[in-house]
Amino acid sequence: MKYGLIKVAAAIPGVRVADVEYNVQQIESLIAQAEGKGAEVIVFPELSLTGYSCQDLFRQQLLLDKAEEGLLVLLDFTRKLDVIAVVGLPVRIGSLLYNCAAVVQHGCLLGLVAKTYLPNYGEFYEKRWFASATDLIPQDIYLAGSPVHVSAEPQVFRTCDGACLGIEICEDVWAPLPPSNNLALAGADIILNLSATDELTGKHSYLMSLLSQQSARMMCGYVYSSCGFGESTQDVVYGGNALVFENGRLLAEGERFSMEPQLRMQQIDIERLRAERQNNTTFRTAQDGARAIYVDCKPTTLRDFELTRQVNPHPFIPAEGMMTQTCEEILNIQTMGLVKRLQHTHCDKAVIGISGGLDSTLALLVTVRAFDKLGLSRRGIIGITMPGFGTTDRTHRNAVRMMDALGVTQREISIAKAVTQHFEDIGHNAAVHDVTYENAQARERTQILMDVANQVGGLVIGTGDLSELALGWCTYNGDHMSMYGVNAGVPKTLVQFLIRHISSSCSAETSASLSTLRASLEDVLDTPISPELTPADAEGNIQQKTEDLVGPYELHDFFLYYIMRYGFRPAKVYMLAQHAFRNSYDDDTLRKWLHTFCRRFFNQQFKRSCMPDGPKVGSVSLSPRGDWRMPSDAASTLWLKEIEA
């Protein structure tokens, strides 16, 4: 350490899920770059040898054997290198599998640290595969031909020049008592975190605050490396975070949502950190135990309940001051999810049904961003209008104008003749506008999209949103189905907000195409939400309005947020809604639509059980592979009875 400074690096390598040889090559490349630039320590993401998102492949012995072989290759690669490299891999110890960080230098395996806190909530279910460090029995093992001691006790790695390093893995720092607390109190100057943090709306700012506060509280350096592009986007997107903090201050930051490997380096002043600790009496005495003080919380006076908190009626909408940043973050998550899927399937064609409504508009805009990101021609996006019995001139005009402005390929295929023939085939009276009349049109449209996708070798991009999934407001095996659903994590109120954000960004442009696009987007926002499956009125206006049938989306999104995000019972959700919408809806209206929401939410689970892949973008998701696993035949009795009472 020159003047007490140590040069650290946070690395985000390219990754292919379960392709260990490729991953090792990417890691070696970044290690060589870091060594050449004088880095003394380099940290890689969690499970970087295999990829974090292998899921049940972690149960495959072949993958575990290849991970150990990959570590052996890295040991040989680093024999003549001075840099300390910390990489992630799954390690079987005894009969249990652990999520580990391996510390490597000069061809030696210096140590192995297992992850302590295993997230098993929301989109995470690590306990399905891994055991916690607390389960470790102290023992000596051989890994990649090297002897190494493993145990649950904290480990500090002291370099020859006196720097002390501690390691924690991803969720560890999110825990109430992070291992880095004990590591810092045991003398660690720098904490290295191997992570796999998925991107959700607002999560990045919280992460930055968390790491800043942890490095400040522990008066330490903090090097954070989280996996990025190349991990599976089946249900979530990993943006790639390369971060270096020192005592609460951000020193270096990578580029999120980059498709390229990244290496961020910075010097951390260990002498400065040690001086801060030495002068801080609180830090010096923190190793002492704490005395428990019990408070008698039994009330002496019973009072009527009064809610004094503000209740946000639109919990999915970005906060004032964060609107542009949050909208771009959401759009990036959607875009990168699709980018990965297109790249993985080697597709340069996308097929979308364009109705001129909100959802297909957002899906089209996201697909355009994805194609631009990949450098693909927008002509590879095939937008198909499929006029039917309820299509109005207004929505059709907006669909065509948007596609013109965006420069995508257009096709128009009327479904009227095919659906009429279908009615004859099944013996349905076309004058009866029932569920068969409506769903036959939706399924015919989906068949067209799927067959055209086969025809051109492309993917059908799903347009349905989170609110529709919650209500089951989609035709099973109709608009319910696609090959990748970019809007699956976006509720209806947020769909509107994102389109408005994109529209406003067009206003500063002067080109005719962007002016046309903006005018079309504004008219889409003003158009009543409708599936347009029943004929228009005599003046050609939309007659079938979704919110007249199932209720206002702003209410359903409110119910969805509090029921799914916090598990609140209907009585509490109703009370919150009374305060949030006291100037908009009366109590009977709130109760009516809450009843509708709960009834439909339970009854329509079977549609969500087989929903297509799509990225999670916020704190609420209904993916059966991630946040929400519910039996399709669960009873809604308790919920509906409480609402009725």
Side-chain angles (χ1 to χ4, degrees):
M1 290 187 296
K2 186 70 171 178
Y3 301 113
L5 296 169
I6 183 169
K7 196 169 190 178
V8 299
I12 313 293
V15 64
R16 291 179 183 167
V17 178
D19 189 343
V20 176
E21 292 181 3
Y22 175 87
N23 298 337
V24 168
Q25 292 170 6
Q26 296 293 305
I27 290 170
E28 287 179 344
S29 175
L30 291 177
I31 290 176
Q33 291 179 46
E35 171 81 359
K37 294 179 180 179
E40 296 160 84
V41 180
I42 181 171
V43 59
F44 290 88
E46 182 177 8
L47 295 169
S48 45
L49 288 184
T50 58
Y52 174 78
S53 48
C54 291
Q55 298 191 45
D56 284 356
L57 291 176
F58 286 125
R59 294 175 172 175
Q60 296 292 307
Q61 188 59 48
L62 176 62
L63 183 66
L64 303 182
D65 290 344
K66 287 297 181 182
E68 185 172 1
E69 292 176 19
L71 180 59
L72 185 61
V73 171
L74 281 179
L75 288 171
D76 185 65
F77 178 78
T78 61
R79 289 189 186 280
K80 296 183 179 181
L81 303 181
D82 292 328
V83 65
I84 298 171
V86 186
V87 298
L89 75 161
V91 178
R92 177 175 288 168
I93 301 173
S95 60
L96 300 178
L97 186 66
Y98 295 86
N99 180 345
C100 293
V103 184
V104 174
Q105 186 191 37
H106 292 157
C108 297
L109 179 59
L110 303 179
L112 198 65
V113 177
K115 187 172 183 176
T116 301
Y117 295 98
L118 303 174
N120 223 65
Y121 56 85
E123 63 268 37
F124 301 105
Y125 35 99
E126 286 190 28
K127 289 184 179 179
R128 182 178 176 91
W129 312 295
F130 300 112
S132 166
T134 58
D135 298 319
L136 267 174
I137 299 173
Q139 58 187 294
D140 294 321
I141 66 169
Y142 273 85
L143 181 67
S146 301
V148 64
H149 181 76
V150 294
S151 72
E153 63 185 1
Q155 299 181 68
V156 174
F157 296 85
R158 185 182 296 273
T159 67
C160 59
D161 53 10
C164 293
L165 309 175
I167 295 170
E168 60 185 2
I169 303 177
C170 198
E171 183 76 2
D172 290 348
V173 73
W174 300 76
L177 293 174
S180 51
N181 288 8
N182 292 332
L183 292 169
L185 294 172
D189 306 300
I190 299 173
I191 303 299
L192 311 175
N193 189 311
L194 299 79
S195 187
T197 300
D198 59 323
E199 296 293 337
L200 303 176
T201 306
K203 186 175 183 178
H204 182 69
S205 60
Y206 184 88
L207 172 67
M208 297 293 283
S209 174
L210 177 70
L211 299 184
S212 173
Q213 286 295 315
Q214 185 64 2
S215 69
R217 182 177 295 108
M218 293 295 106
M219 285 173 276
C220 65
Y222 204 101
V223 187
Y224 185 90
S225 173
S226 179
C227 58
F229 186 78
E231 290 285 355
S232 171
T233 60
Q234 179 171 319
D235 287 300
V236 296
V237 169
Y238 300 90
N241 282 290
L243 303 165
V244 179
F245 286 86
E246 180 188 278
N247 197 18
R249 187 163 59 98
L250 178 64
L251 300 183
E253 181 178 13
E255 177 189 355
R256 281 197 305 157
F257 302 111
S258 172
M259 296 171 63
E260 302 299 325
Q262 296 190 68
L263 186 65
R264 289 296 183 270
M265 295 187 293
Q266 188 53 270
Q267 291 177 324
I268 292 177
D269 191 336
I270 288 179
E271 285 187 355
R272 180 175 178 175
L273 293 171
R274 289 177 177 174
E276 291 281 3
R277 290 178 175 181
Q278 182 177 327
N279 294 330
N280 189 291
T281 57
T282 303
F283 188 90
R284 294 207 308 263
T285 59
Q287 297 177 79
D288 294 340
R291 181 169 62 91
I293 301 175
Y294 297 94
V295 179
D296 184 1
C297 59
K298 185 182 296 183
T300 57
T301 304
L302 294 177
R303 296 185 177 91
D304 291 336
F305 171 77
E306 179 185 2
L307 182 68
T308 57
R309 296 164 58 101
Q310 293 295 317
V311 181
N312 183 2
H314 304 113
F316 289 110
I317 301 302
E320 201 73 39
M322 295 287 290
M323 291 184 178
T324 299
Q325 177 182 335
T326 304
C327 286
E328 284 301 313
E329 189 172 45
I330 294 167
L331 291 168
N332 276 329
I333 292 172
Q334 292 179 274
T335 300
M336 295 303 286
L338 181 55
V339 164
K340 166 64 176 177
R341 185 52 54 95
L342 289 167
Q343 187 186 72
H344 176 72
T345 55
H346 305 290
C347 275
D348 58 1
K349 299 289 190 302
V351 179
I352 315 177
I354 309 298
S355 67
L358 289 167
D359 293 340
S360 65
T361 296
L362 180 58
L364 175 61
L365 294 168
V366 167
T367 305
V368 166
R369 288 170 65 113
F371 269 60
D372 290 350
K373 186 84 172 177
L374 287 167
L376 299 175
S377 169
R378 293 185 181 183
R379 302 298 295 173
I381 302 171
I382 296 90
I384 306 179
T385 54
M386 294 170 282
F389 306 131
T391 303
T392 61
D393 291 341
R394 180 181 185 180
T395 54
H396 182 267
R397 181 175 60 252
N398 282 331
V400 171
R401 290 171 65 192
M402 278 191 297
M403 289 190 285
D404 281 339
L406 292 168
V408 305
T409 299
Q410 297 184 48
R411 291 187 65 178
E412 182 165 313
I413 304 173
S414 172
I415 65 169
K417 184 177 179 180
V419 174
T420 299
Q421 178 61 53
H422 181 62
F423 288 158
E424 292 181 12
D425 293 341
I426 66 173
H428 182 75
N429 184 352
V432 178
H433 298 168
D434 58 5
V435 66
T436 303
Y437 179 88
E438 294 184 15
N439 287 352
Q441 297 175 70
R443 292 195 179 100
E444 176 60 26
R445 285 176 171 138
T446 300
Q447 175 177 265
I448 289 171
L449 295 174
M450 292 289 183
D451 291 346
V452 171
N454 292 157
Q455 193 178 54
V456 302
L459 295 181
V460 175
I461 308 303
T463 61
D465 62 47
L466 181 64
S467 305
E468 292 181 345
L469 286 168
L471 293 166
W473 191 250
C474 51
T475 299
Y476 191 72
N477 204 33
D479 53 308
H480 151 263
M481 191 47 60
S482 68
M483 296 172 183
Y484 194 76
V486 293
N487 294 340
V490 186
K492 187 75 76 178
T493 51
L494 188 53
V495 171
Q496 295 168 316
F497 199 87
L498 291 170
I499 293 175
R500 188 167 285 111
H501 163 74
I502 296 172
S503 175
S504 64
S505 68
C506 296
S507 62
E509 305 290 344
T510 56
S511 69
S513 61
L514 285 172
S515 178
T516 299
L517 177 61
R518 181 170 185 252
S520 299
L521 294 180
E522 292 297 325
D523 198 45
V524 167
L525 290 167
D526 290 337
T527 303
I529 300 170
S530 172
E532 292 192 314
L533 295 173
T534 58
D537 63 19
E539 286 74 38
N541 297 315
I542 293 173
Q543 185 168 259
Q544 184 187 29
K545 298 179 181 179
T546 298
E547 292 183 293
D548 291 345
L549 300 170
V550 296
Y553 273 115
E554 66 173 348
L555 289 183
H556 288 312
D557 284 358
F558 183 89
F559 302 151
L560 172 66
Y561 180 80
Y562 284 104
I563 290 173
M564 295 301 302
R565 180 73 174 83
Y566 301 110
F568 287 166
R569 59 191 299 164
K572 183 169 183 177
V573 175
Y574 173 64
M575 179 273 295
L576 293 172
Q578 285 178 305
H579 284 262
F581 297 102
R582 56 183 174 271
N583 298 322
S584 305
Y585 302 97
D586 60 35
D587 291 352
D588 288 341
T589 301
L590 294 174
R591 202 159 39 237
K592 170 187 174 182
W593 294 125
L594 178 58
H595 189 281
T596 296
F597 178 87
C598 289
R599 175 180 57 81
R600 292 191 64 96
F601 185 83
F602 275 82
N603 291 351
Q604 301 294 311
Q605 171 63 25
F606 72 99
K607 296 179 182 178
R608 299 187 289 269
S609 294
C610 57
M611 60 182 278
D613 292 352
K616 177 180 178 180
V617 303
S619 57
V620 175
S621 168
L622 294 175
S623 168
R625 298 166 294 275
D627 291 51
W628 190 244
R629 303 181 184 194
M630 170 185 171
S632 299
D633 47 7
S636 58
T637 308
L638 294 177
W639 286 261
L640 298 184
K641 279 188 174 180
E642 178 160 298
I643 296 169
E644 291 162 0

